[in-house]
Amino acid sequence: MKNFKQLLIWQKGMEIWKEVYVLSKDFARFLQIALGSSFELETFLVGIKMLELNISENEVDHILQLVDEEQKMIMSFKKKIVTDS
């Protein structure tokens, strides 16, 4: 079999590969958007602490910790998606 690229089975496999590749890169972009949103939320929470609003600092710190954990998870997942594609 000299020219496997002419085989329909190989061509179909390449179509599937292309779809998965595009999907994973697109998904990585949405993860980047989610990460940006989490940074906006973090900025908002830091601002709440600066303004010393009627919210306890412990409550804000707890939410900041949750946001930090989520950011790390998103970054790790994004890295895996990009590496695997």
Side-chain angles (χ1 to χ4, degrees), residues 56-71:
S56 79
E57 193 167 327
N58 288 339
E59 287 178 296
V60 175
D61 286 339
H62 173 69
I63 298 171
L64 281 169
Q65 181 181 359
L66 294 174
V67 170
D68 184 60
E69 291 171 8
E70 184 72 9
Q71 289 169 347

Side-chain angles (χ1 to χ4, degrees), residues 24-38:
S24 66
K25 290 295 184 182
D26 200 36
F27 186 58
R29 184 174 61 85
F30 285 116
L31 288 174
Q32 187 61 41
I33 291 168
L35 189 59
S37 295
S38 73

Side-chain angles (χ1 to χ4, degrees), residues 43-59:
T43 300
F44 179 74
L45 291 167
V46 169
I48 287 174
K49 285 177 70 169
M50 287 176 60
L51 292 173
E52 299 175 356
L53 298 175
N54 232 0
I55 301 171
S56 79
E57 193 167 327
N58 288 339
E59 287 178 296

Side-chain angles (χ1 to χ4, degrees), residues 19-29 81-82 84-85:
E19 293 287 329
V20 171
Y21 184 82
V22 168
L23 179 65
S24 66
K25 290 295 184 182
D26 200 36
F27 186 58
R29 184 174 61 85
I81 293 291
V82 171
D84 287 351
S85 63

